[in-house]
Amino acid sequence: MKHLNILLFNGFTTLDALGPAEVFSQLGDRIRIGYFSMAGGPVRGTANLEIFTRPIEEIEQYDMLLVPGGFGTRQLVDNADFVKMLKMAAGRSEKVLCVCTGSALLARTGLLDGKEATSNKLAWDWVIRQSQSVIWKRNARWVVDGKFYTSSGVTAGIDQALGFLADTIGSNVAEKVAAGLEYVWNRDKNRDLFAYQNNRNSS
Amino acid sequence: MKHLNILLFNGFTTLDALGPAEVFSQLGDRIRIGYFSMAGGPVRGTANLEIFTRPIEEIEQYDMLLVPGGFGTRQLVDNADFVKMLKMAAGRSEKVLCVCTGSALLARTGLLDGKEATSNKLAWDWVIRQSQSVIWKRNARWVVDGKFYTSSGVTAGIDQALGFLADTIGSNVAEKVAAGLEYVWNRDKNRDLFAYQNNRNSS
């Protein structure tokens, strides 16, 4: 059984985390999903949602790490303790999936240096300022480079999660999960319908 | 300010509730989102998510009521106390949005009698058995009849929520929210790409 460890923080975008979580959840007993944060305890996301988390030290198996984005990332990129903790967790994990501005956090760890990555288009200018060593790819629904998956904004995380299942288990499984969620999967990771968008103060 | 009251129960499908919640959340200060259940307290959904809820009596304004689906509906359709509570809450609410098998629950209240509605295609046969007085419309992404919105499975709830914003605030707002979520909105409520699916033991 594989573990999907979701790393939350105050000000995360709820759907960044729970869209992919629902995708993985469709695998049933093959997956165990857990919610973690730096210190544990309740963490608040968008949509007035509070999720109870365990401290990051309690991760049992470093299989997949999911890092959502959100307004909370704006402070966290400058939080040395958080960045150090993320570097440890992402470094140990077999695979890392960032959604939206989650890639800005990962960029600050240095683990994306020399690698391709993408992020939310409405926060693009801010994201790419977080590291000049990342090869930022603006026109992509999601990007895969080695063990790192990074997606565009919010719902691109659902497409990326399905892409991850296709890459790691098989495209038939991804198609079945998408159909089960009655989700019109945007299969092509290089096709980005939102790359045109201008920056604004978005999450 | 309008209130979106989300009615949860053990065994709800997380994305049924939190996809639409994220859509409404984009309205910022214009919306207040709350999580409720029959008795209050922690409620468990798919993806190993536990949400803390308030008792249904604590709803302050009966504006919009959101009812997700999920495996938990299979028992709840026969729970007279739950159905009575739902009938009260849905009856008092200005608008009611059901996602997936949430419409099976609403069907049991009688409030959908003589009205058009839809639901998850993989659970279709079970859903329509819950009431013969509902005009079940199989081929629809979502259905609007009076104050009642009912959608197909899981992610159709996101499309429906955007449709609700288009109907009640304006299509420009719906388009802007979809773009903010980088979501490829399936705008046409009559276009159902999953109506072909056969039944199986799904939520």
Side-chain angles (χ1 to χ4, degrees):
Chain A
M1 183 196 276
K2 290 281 188 180
H3 288 227
L4 173 66
N5 305 308
I6 304 180
L7 179 59
L8 300 180
F9 44 84
N10 283 312
F12 76 97
T13 297
T14 287
L15 192 52
D16 286 8
L18 294 173
E22 187 72 59
V23 168
F24 281 95
S25 175
Q26 299 291 310
L27 298 178
D29 291 343
R30 288 193 277 177
I31 196 91
R32 182 164 171 186
I33 299 174
Y35 300 89
F36 298 88
S37 65
M38 191 156 61
V43 169
R44 189 165 289 276
T46 53
N48 199 23
L49 185 72
E50 193 174 79
I51 298 184
F52 190 80
T53 63
R54 295 158 63 197
I56 189 94
E57 296 83 20
E58 293 187 10
I59 288 181
E60 291 156 43
Q61 279 181 222
Y62 283 88
D63 298 326
M64 285 95 67
L65 182 72
L66 177 70
V67 185
F71 277 112
T73 62
R74 303 304 174 109
Q75 286 83 51
L76 284 177
V77 288
D78 295 319
N79 181 327
D81 289 339
F82 180 89
V83 172
K84 186 180 170 187
M85 176 274 296
L86 175 59
K87 186 172 184 175
M88 177 282 296
R92 290 179 67 177
S93 296
E94 194 182 320
K95 303 277 186 182
V96 180
L97 296 94
C98 296
V99 177
C100 201
T101 48
S103 58
L105 296 172
L106 191 62
R108 292 299 284 258
T109 67
L111 292 172
L112 285 179
D113 287 3
K115 295 190 182 296
E116 290 193 337
T118 196
S119 191
N120 185 307
K121 300 303 141 48
L122 293 171
W124 189 256
D125 287 354
W126 175 79
V127 169
I128 64 173
R129 278 202 305 274
Q130 303 314 311
S131 172
Q132 296 189 326
S133 305
V134 178
I135 304 162
W136 294 107
K137 193 175 168 186
R138 184 174 169 88
N139 207 325
R141 186 71 173 161
W142 76 92
V143 169
V144 186
D145 194 334
K147 76 176 195 180
F148 298 104
Y149 282 64
T150 55
S151 86
S152 290
V154 197
T155 60
I158 298 173
D159 295 318
Q160 172 178 262
L162 290 164
F164 179 88
L165 295 191
D167 293 347
T168 55
I169 311 181
S171 57
N172 58 328
V173 172
E175 295 285 356
K176 194 176 169 187
V177 167
L181 299 174
E182 298 197 8
Y183 182 64
V184 183
W185 181 24
N186 304 289
R187 288 169 181 73
D188 184 353
K189 67 180 188 293
N190 296 313
R191 184 161 183 256
D192 183 0
L193 295 174
F194 300 96
Y196 72 89
Q197 295 201 99
N198 292 318
N199 289 283
R200 67 173 191 194
N201 287 329
S202 171
S203 57
Chain B
M1 184 197 276
K2 290 281 188 180
H3 289 225
L4 173 67
N5 306 307
I6 304 180
L7 179 60
L8 300 180
F9 44 84
N10 283 313
F12 75 98
T13 297
T14 288
L15 192 52
D16 287 8
L18 294 173
E22 187 72 61
V23 168
F24 281 96
S25 176
Q26 300 290 311
L27 298 177
D29 291 343
R30 289 192 278 177
I31 195 91
R32 184 166 169 184
I33 300 174
Y35 299 89
F36 298 89
S37 66
M38 191 155 64
V43 169
R44 190 165 289 275
T46 53
N48 199 24
L49 185 71
E50 192 175 79
I51 298 183
F52 190 81
T53 63
R54 296 158 61 197
I56 189 96
E57 295 83 18
E58 293 187 10
I59 288 180
E60 292 156 43
Q61 279 179 223
Y62 282 88
D63 298 324
M64 285 95 68
L65 183 73
L66 178 70
V67 184
F71 277 110
T73 63
R74 302 303 174 107
Q75 286 83 50
L76 283 176
V77 289
D78 295 319
N79 180 328
D81 289 338
F82 180 88
V83 172
K84 186 179 170 187
M85 177 274 296
L86 175 59
K87 186 173 185 175
M88 178 284 293
R92 291 179 67 177
S93 297
E94 196 181 317
K95 303 278 185 182
V96 180
L97 296 94
C98 295
V99 177
C100 201
T101 47
S103 58
L105 295 172
L106 191 63
R108 292 300 285 257
T109 67
L111 292 172
L112 285 178
D113 286 3
K115 296 191 182 296
E116 290 192 335
T118 195
S119 191
N120 186 308
K121 299 304 139 47
L122 293 171
W124 188 256
D125 288 353
W126 175 78
V127 169
I128 64 174
R129 278 201 304 273
Q130 303 313 311
S131 172
Q132 296 188 326
S133 304
V134 178
I135 305 162
W136 294 107
K137 193 175 169 186
R138 185 176 167 87
N139 207 324
R141 186 71 173 161
W142 75 91
V143 168
V144 186
D145 195 335
K147 75 177 195 179
F148 298 104
Y149 282 65
T150 54
S151 85
S152 291
V154 198
T155 61
I158 298 175
D159 295 319
Q160 171 177 262
L162 289 165
F164 180 86
L165 296 190
D167 294 346
T168 55
I169 311 180
S171 57
N172 58 328
V173 172
E175 295 286 354
K176 193 176 169 186
V177 167
L181 299 174
E182 297 197 8
Y183 182 65
V184 183
W185 181 23
N186 304 289
R187 288 168 182 75
D188 184 352
K189 67 181 189 291
N190 296 312
R191 185 160 183 257
D192 183 0
L193 294 173
F194 299 96
Y196 72 90
Q197 295 201 99
N198 292 318
N199 289 284
R200 67 174 190 193
N201 287 327
S202 171
S203 56

